[in-house]
Amino acid sequence: MLIAARNEEANIGRTLSDILAQDFPAELREIIVVDDHSTDNTSAIVRSFADQGVKLLKLNESEPVNSYKKKAISTAIAVASGELIVTTDADCRMGKSWLSTVVNYAAQNSSFLVSAPVVYSEQRNFFEELQTLEFLYLIGLGAAGIGHRRPSTCNGANLAYRRDVFHEMGGFNGIDHLASGDDELFLHKVAAKYPDKIGFCKSRDAIVYTDAKKTLRGFIHQRRRWASKSTHYKNKGLVVLGVAIWLFNSLLLSTGIFALFFNAALWPAFTVAISLKLLVEFFFLYPLGKFAKRTDLLIYLPLLTFLHIVYMTYIGIAGNIGKYQWKGRRVN
């Protein structure tokens, strides 16, 4: 069990408590937390769990890198003794059967890499509810890609892979110059050789819960970070698909603007296109909403469909230019 943590004093305690409460045999479980240069009490809180078997590692201050999270994970794997590496984030919650469900799935399916669901929880306002609905879309795309043997995306908050496969792939070599991508880009490395050995654990017991971003600024930085990986995909088919999705949304946005301000004759075409988009998204998101018990949020889908056009057009550009903020750092 690996966790890379930076300035997570408000969250790491509850995450470790959830992990220690798992119904998985304690003698088969190893918990390693890597403190990524925290300036708060993260390390002290982790040390308070030492008598329960939680190990603390700290990144070397004298080794500046661009990808601190990949460095943290690699550091932990170097000392880990388990055959299966399971990663989550320091601000996550999980039920007591989470670890056993993921590990059993990997064993029963002889999987080299297992992606499992991540769901936003405890929405405090309308903005966070919109994020929850949008995030279900991303998780669904990842599951669908894996199910069709065309893996595209996953989330490091709920990911497992065999340690020997990690070493066989050369770890994060070749992608370690990028700040992000410890999950998605590594998935692509495994998929290039073992596409049929990747699975998605579709079980409610396997869900990891995390929180939506509290501010629009935080949301934008997160999505820019995620989008920044897209141009570095080795699978050019995924790059082409991403560009096609961006072009579709950009064309929709342009058509809507021209219909509103310059040529009302474009309204019928825009209306048909946006209606089809809404219909497809509803049928895609409904089963995901049922799985996550969030069908009530589908009432916001018409609004999200419009906002998604603007968001996708902007993020597609902003995510691939300049730098962004992540954990208090300015990174590429």
Side-chain angles (χ1 to χ4, degrees), residues 315-332:
I315 289 296
I317 298 172
N320 291 288
I321 59 173
K323 298 184 177 183
Y324 52 86
Q325 291 285 338
W326 189 18
K327 296 289 184 178
R329 297 185 178 114
R330 190 85 168 154
V331 295
N332 293 310

Side-chain angles (χ1 to χ4, degrees), residues 12-201:
I12 188 67
R14 67 176 192 174
T15 300
L16 289 174
S17 294
D18 280 0
I19 292 172
L20 289 166
Q22 295 295 301
D23 58 15
F24 193 80
E27 65 273 14
L28 300 178
R29 181 188 66 207
E30 182 181 33
I31 305 170
I32 303 175
V33 179
V34 184
D35 186 349
D36 175 11
H37 306 98
S38 294
T39 57
D40 63 4
N41 291 321
T42 295
S43 284
I45 294 172
V46 175
R47 286 193 191 97
S48 71
F49 289 89
D51 60 347
Q52 299 180 69
V54 178
K55 300 177 183 177
L56 172 67
L57 303 178
K58 300 190 74 171
L59 288 188
N60 191 329
E61 291 283 352
S62 64
E63 297 180 1
V65 294
N66 193 51
S67 181
Y68 287 92
K69 188 172 183 181
K70 295 193 192 79
K71 176 67 176 177
I73 293 173
S74 297
T75 299
I77 291 176
V79 302
S81 59
E83 297 176 5
L84 187 69
I85 303 298
V86 182
T87 69
T88 191
D89 290 340
D91 58 352
C92 290
R93 305 298 304 271
M94 52 282 289
K96 67 177 183 178
S97 297
W98 162 67
L99 188 57
S100 59
T101 302
V102 172
V103 172
N104 288 338
Y105 177 93
Q108 292 168 8
N109 294 277
S110 300
S111 301
F112 288 0
L113 184 148
V114 176
S115 174
V118 181
V119 175
Y120 287 162
S121 63
E122 300 178 2
Q123 297 85 15
R124 291 163 287 245
N125 53 52
F126 175 62
F127 176 54
E128 293 185 9
E129 289 179 332
L130 283 179
Q131 289 182 67
T132 300
L133 184 60
E134 189 263 349
F135 192 63
L136 282 176
Y137 180 77
L138 298 178
I139 295 299
L141 285 178
I146 290 172
H148 287 88
R149 297 292 185 265
R150 296 178 181 274
S152 60
T153 186
C154 62
N155 195 301
N158 203 0
L159 191 65
Y161 42 83
R162 281 174 35 176
R163 187 176 57 162
D164 58 346
V165 172
F166 179 82
H167 291 305
E168 180 186 345
M169 296 294 109
F172 297 125
N173 290 342
I175 58 175
D176 51 358
H177 62 291
L178 301 168
S180 189
D182 57 280
D183 44 17
E184 197 169 287
L185 295 181
F186 181 70
L187 166 73
H188 295 173
K189 292 183 74 172
V190 178
K193 189 172 183 179
Y194 302 113
D196 59 337
K197 289 293 186 177
I198 297 172
F200 186 85
C201 185

